[in-house]
Amino acid sequence: MTTNATNMANATNAAGAARTSAQGGGGQDVGAVGGEAGGGRVAGEGAGAGRGLIGLLAVTCGVAVGNVYFPQAAAPAVAAGLGVGAGTAAGVVSAAQFGYAAGIFLLVPLGDRVPHRRLLVVLLAVTAVALAVAGAAPGAGVLLAASGAAGAATVVAPVVGPMAAGLVPASRRGLVSGVMLSGSLGGMLLSRSLGGPLAQWLGWRSPYLVAAALAVVLAVVLARVLPVTVPPSGQRYGRLLLQPLVLLREEPELRRSCFYQAMVFGAFSAVWTGVALLLAGPRYGLGAPAVGALALVNAATMVCTPVAGRVADRRGADAVSLWAMAGVVVSAGVLAVGCVGGAVGLCGLAAGSLLLDVAMQSGMVANQVRNYGLRADARSRVNTAYMTCGYLGGAAGSWLAARVYGGSGWAGVCVLAGALAVVALVRHGAAMRGRARGGGARLAGAAGPARSAGGAGG
């Protein structure tokens, strides 16, 4: 819920930093600026957040998001170190992603009613404990459980985004949202790039223990430097928790965005789970560092995402969604060149993974544009519903990729990724045809009275 973020985690989190969050029902909103941003009110709000604090929050987003992605690069080392199969090792990746999806749904709404400093420190502390347990796990069972717990607790970026927006003037919120997004994408890329080599050189436990230490350091620093905020809502937890489900039921466009993201992010996760197994296997024999180098190639995604946003502003979200889904289909074909092996195969993997990353991130931007035009008074809950569905799709993609790779190899994973994108394209085509029919009916209805008026005049 790049695998991602983008994955996904994360472009949505940062882009939602400037959203509004008007609460209804059981809570009383407080703080003009904080309420508008979806964050809490702080004394002297908008005046005291310097570059150092914003940079620290961006680093926090990156470290938290990285906890979901480094297990992908470390999966081959986990399989070798624990003496388990590739499917079991890939299950660790799925556990972290399923945990992250659960955390988005169960914990992120607390950002509307728990002071941010307390919430962030607790989340980072729990993340550190879970990662430490994973790093000391005696077997696969404990590792799977600890990975799920760490994934659930590391949902820091969706909480940081609204808070950061509430700490700066309205004129800086777009810039701050971009900084948070860059931090998340950077954390994703670095975690893939460094997690694999650490696991290979120092053992599979090392990336977990390093990540736990980073979480502890950040918890201590944030406890000292974060300002005190007042939650914008007093709504009961149960009410906050149910509202994303209500929005999914009431908003067909939200359901469409969620379906698109689940399919595209599922394809993305499937590829990155399978490529780690491919590069470490007999065809290439390159090990985890090769996965990290391949991830670094995709740093260009950070440049392409703003371009996708500008296109969505000019031509609409649906045009970008179409391009993104088609891009995933094409990337699956390019990635299949990896079956050849050698230098040609590596070039295919590099080009295909770059196209896949750009397409997935662009699709996320389009979905955000569509989502944030739905309910100006409930954008944080819209975001919770969207990200939960997206990460469930990603976790399912990783799980399916491990099974498909065991039976059909890398070619099967590429077919899986392409098929998921085709399903999204079919749904998108149906939506566009329905919209065209609806537009035609509206034009006919408008023309009818005009014709009647003309006849009366004749």
Side-chain angles (χ1 to χ4, degrees), residues 253-291:
E253 289 294 274
L254 174 59
R255 292 196 299 272
R256 188 156 68 96
S257 292
C258 290
F259 183 80
Y260 292 169
Q261 185 63 15
M263 293 296 103
V264 172
F265 194 57
F268 176 88
S269 298
V271 166
W272 280 101
T273 298
V275 80
L277 301 173
L278 173 68
L279 292 178
R283 187 179 300 276
Y284 288 96
L286 294 177
V291 180

Side-chain angles (χ1 to χ4, degrees), residues 260 264 320-330 359 421-422 424-426 428:
Y260 292 169
V264 172
V320 178
S321 291
L322 176 62
W323 179 90
M325 296 168 195
V328 175
V329 175
V330 174
V422 167
L425 274 171
V426 170
H428 188 61

Side-chain angles (χ1 to χ4, degrees), residues 30-410:
V30 294
V33 178
E36 288 174 3
R41 179 172 59 85
V42 60
E45 184 156 14
R51 292 182 179 179
L53 178 57
I54 296 302
L56 173 63
L57 292 175
V59 170
T60 302
C61 289
V63 170
V65 168
N67 293 332
V68 184
Y69 294 106
F70 78 77
Q72 292 178 329
V78 169
L82 290 179
V84 297
T88 301
V92 175
V93 179
S94 297
Q97 292 178 340
F98 276 119
Y100 196 81
I104 290 171
F105 185 76
L106 297 173
L107 300 178
V108 169
L110 291 175
D112 286 336
R113 72 185 307 267
V114 177
H116 289 121
R117 182 167 66 182
R118 182 194 310 167
L119 179 60
L120 290 172
V121 169
V122 170
L123 288 176
L124 286 168
V126 173
T127 300
V129 172
L131 289 170
V133 171
V142 174
L143 178 58
L144 285 168
S147 295
T154 198
V155 288
V156 168
V159 178
V160 165
M163 185 198 71
L167 296 177
V168 298
S171 60
R172 290 183 59 203
R173 286 180 187 163
L175 172 63
V176 167
S177 297
V179 172
M180 297 303 115
L181 173 58
S182 295
S184 296
L185 292 176
M188 179 184 61
L189 292 173
L190 286 175
S191 66
R192 285 182 185 162
S193 302
L194 300 178
L198 273 176
Q200 180 166 316
W201 298 333
L202 301 178
W204 70 266
R205 301 179 190 274
S206 59
Y208 288 93
L209 299 178
V210 170
L214 289 174
V216 169
V217 170
L218 284 173
V220 172
V221 173
L222 292 180
R224 294 177 62 88
V225 306
L226 282 186
V228 176
T229 57
V230 178
S233 173
Q235 286 187 341
R236 293 183 177 181
Y237 175 67
R239 184 178 178 84
L240 289 174
L241 204 63
L242 290 175
Q243 285 179 341
L245 295 176
V246 174
L247 288 168
L248 278 171
R249 184 189 66 199
E250 295 178 349
E251 295 289 347
E253 289 294 274
L254 174 59
R255 292 196 299 272
R256 188 156 68 96
S257 292
C258 290
F259 183 80
Y260 292 169
Q261 185 63 15
M263 293 296 103
V264 172
F265 194 57
F268 176 88
S269 298
V271 166
W272 280 101
T273 298
V275 80
L277 301 173
L278 173 68
L279 292 178
R283 187 179 300 276
Y284 288 96
L286 294 177
V291 180
L294 190 61
L296 281 179
V297 171
N298 299 323
T301 304
M302 300 175 68
V303 178
C304 298
T305 303
V307 176
R310 287 193 291 271
V311 174
D313 288 337
R314 291 196 305 267
R315 303 187 60 182
D318 287 331
V320 178
S321 291
L322 176 62
W323 179 90
M325 296 168 195
V328 175
V329 175
V330 174
S331 74
V334 177
L335 285 164
V337 177
C339 295
V340 175
V344 173
L346 286 174
C347 289
L349 293 176
S353 63
L354 176 59
L355 177 57
L356 176 67
D357 272 24
V358 172
M360 195 278 292
Q361 294 285 359
S362 299
M364 286 187 65
V365 171
N367 291 332
Q368 291 162 17
V369 171
R370 187 181 300 110
N371 290 346
Y372 293 140
L374 298 177
R375 295 278 186 97
D377 61 337
R379 284 174 178 160
S380 62
R381 282 150 284 174
V382 166
N383 194 41
T384 296
Y386 169 68
M387 292 195 65
T388 300
C389 293
Y391 270 94
L392 285 173
S398 291
W399 184 86
L400 287 171
R403 272 71 191 166
V404 170
Y405 189 88
S408 303
W410 177 243

